[in-house]
Amino acid sequence: MKPKILLVNPPIYDFAAYDFWLKPYGLLGVAGYLRDQAEFKLFDYLDRLHPFVASRRELESDQWGRGRFYCTRIPRPPCLQAIPRYFRRFGLPREIFTDFLAAEGPFDFVFVQTIMTYWYKGVEEVIEDVRTVQPHAKNVLGGNYVTLCPDHAQMLGADLAIPGANLEPLWEYLGISPDMKQPALWEAYARLNVGVLKLTDGCPFNCTYCSVPKIYGRFKPRPVEHSSAELELLRQLGVQNVAFYDDALLFEPDKVLIPFLNEVVKQNARVNFHSPNALNARFVTTELAELMVQAGFKTFYLGFESDSLQWQKRTGSKVFSDELASAVGHLVSAGAEPSSITAYQILGHPHIDIQ
């Protein structure tokens, strides 16, 4: 008999949150490896197409699928009392989840995705409700928070925590052999207008402010045919906007991005691509910019971090100011709208004074 597994993307506790193509890609990827070997249900607290949210006009998506989350104002925790901002819980109301648990259970396992370390209160809330409504279900945590703060994550009471990208402990715990060639379980959504892809894992750089090397390890391309198959699945489900979650999408483009985009152009996929995880401006050439625009890129986020040469050298020399200017020039010349190009900068870093 197949195990019954609930997938949960928790609510967010924070001062601000906005849906820039935010999907629980790691969670869906793990479930995809177990496709047809388990019975799945998905509860995504941040699903803005959920009936409770979809009827609210103020939360409607823009032309690229972005938008505001449903949220409620809550008291600031003691450690944040000095910050003069409203604190909020972003996501569907808690009672919708507890009703879902009661109606759709019993579950054998509950997989919970974690992202930002300081969002752990949402994870804690999920575990509390599962323990109350589905006490026999085993809670399994994975993702960034578990990887970066494993001891703290253990305090939340999960039955199993999986740090890092090695999933062997999970397969042993479940007693199931995964099919690693399967795409993410996007069909778990009742409605879907935004999807996510990763053509690579990890990053070849080692910037001092970044956690990616600790989470994903060394840079490793994924098979292009796997990514193309996943894009086709998203298209079949009606997705029009796809965000790349790669941390080094433009690295070694001849091996990864260029073959993928050539296939997109060949298939006339008609999908809008976005790059919220930031592109490395150093690798934006005239030819690559033209191919990206031709293949359907609509928004371009560049990881600039700082215009201070001292800062740039001190933190890893990932990109310099002249490289940013050059990249923007290539993108605009290729036909990108200037208003669609954004450069990220870091604020609040302990060494910010050198800027």
Side-chain angles (χ1 to χ4, degrees):
M1 185 174 179
K2 296 179 181 179
K4 191 170 183 180
I5 301 176
L6 173 62
L7 311 172
V8 182
N9 190 29
I12 293 171
Y13 284 62
D14 207 336
F15 290 102
Y18 191 83
D19 186 7
F20 280 93
W21 311 284
L22 196 62
K23 292 296 180 187
Y25 190 47
L27 183 72
L28 297 172
V30 169
Y33 298 147
L34 302 175
R35 185 183 267 104
D36 299 327
Q37 300 189 71
E39 181 182 345
F40 289 101
K41 290 287 183 178
L42 169 67
F43 191 91
D44 185 353
Y45 270 99
L46 305 178
D47 181 9
R48 294 187 304 102
L49 296 186
H50 187 281
F52 178 83
V53 177
S55 60
R56 300 169 184 266
R57 294 192 62 183
E58 71 275 13
L59 303 179
E60 289 180 351
S61 299
D62 67 9
Q63 63 175 328
W64 306 132
R66 301 167 296 192
R68 295 167 55 198
F69 291 118
Y70 174 80
C71 67
T72 53
R73 183 178 164 188
I74 58 177
R76 292 191 299 271
C79 62
L80 300 176
Q81 284 297 320
I83 299 178
R85 296 284 303 278
Y86 291 140
F87 200 62
R88 292 182 171 89
R89 177 190 178 279
F90 296 86
L92 295 169
R94 192 166 182 172
E95 59 269 20
I96 293 182
F97 180 57
T98 54
D99 290 346
F100 179 92
L101 285 171
E104 299 292 341
F107 295 100
D108 298 300
F109 303 95
V110 179
F111 291 1
V112 186
Q113 167 154 322
T114 72
I115 308 179
M116 299 297 186
T117 57
Y118 53 91
W119 288 355
Y120 73 90
K121 293 298 292 184
V123 179
E124 184 178 53
E125 176 188 309
V126 169
I127 293 177
E128 288 176 355
D129 289 341
V130 171
R131 290 281 185 235
T132 300
V133 184
Q134 295 283 336
H136 299 294
K138 301 297 184 183
N139 289 280
V140 180
L141 303 184
N144 296 3
Y145 161 60
V146 177
T147 301
L148 298 173
C149 302
D151 294 338
H152 191 278
Q154 290 288 350
M155 296 168 58
L156 300 189
D159 297 284
L160 179 66
I162 307 292
N166 179 19
L167 298 176
E168 287 302 323
L170 176 60
W171 312 141
E172 294 176 7
Y173 189 70
L174 299 174
I176 301 176
S177 297
D179 181 356
M180 305 300 285
K181 295 182 180 181
Q182 289 288 331
L185 197 75
W186 290 107
E187 64 269 28
Y189 281 97
R191 295 176 60 203
L192 193 66
N193 67 341
V194 167
V196 171
L197 280 179
K198 283 189 74 172
L199 307 187
T200 63
D201 292 300
C203 182
F205 296 94
N206 194 28
C207 301
T208 60
Y209 46 78
C210 185
S211 64
V212 167
K214 295 180 180 179
I215 296 171
Y216 298 107
R218 300 179 64 181
F219 176 81
K220 182 181 179 182
R222 295 184 176 187
V224 174
E225 57 272 17
H226 180 276
S227 301
S228 297
E230 186 160 1
L231 177 61
E232 181 57 31
L233 172 59
L234 290 169
R235 290 179 60 203
Q236 292 173 4
L237 294 172
V239 169
Q240 295 180 323
N241 290 284
V242 175
F244 287 102
Y245 272 17
D246 299 71
D247 295 290
L249 181 64
L250 305 188
F251 188 70
E252 296 184 345
D254 291 339
K255 299 179 182 178
V256 184
L257 183 60
I258 290 176
F260 176 81
L261 293 184
N262 281 334
E263 186 64 23
V264 168
V265 172
K266 178 181 177 181
Q267 297 295 329
N268 194 23
R270 297 184 181 276
V271 175
N272 303 315
F273 291 120
H274 310 278
S275 58
N277 271 24
L279 304 170
N280 190 317
R282 178 172 297 169
F283 301 120
V284 179
T285 63
T286 299
E287 295 75 19
L288 186 55
E290 291 174 350
L291 179 58
M292 292 170 70
V293 172
Q294 181 186 9
F297 269 80
K298 292 297 190 292
T299 62
F300 306 84
Y301 293 84
L302 303 174
F304 182 45
E305 324 309 356
S306 170
D307 65 356
S308 165
L309 180 62
Q310 183 181 354
W311 164 276
Q312 293 164 351
K313 291 181 177 180
R314 184 172 180 175
T315 58
S317 300
K318 184 182 74 173
V319 63
F320 295 107
S321 301
D322 59 335
E323 293 170 324
L324 175 73
S326 177
V328 172
H330 292 322
L331 291 171
V332 172
S333 295
E337 291 291 334
S339 61
S340 71
I341 304 172
T342 300
Y344 288 137
Q345 285 198 291
I346 290 179
L347 299 177
H349 189 280
H351 298 149
I352 206 76
D353 60 297
I354 69 173
Q355 297 189 71

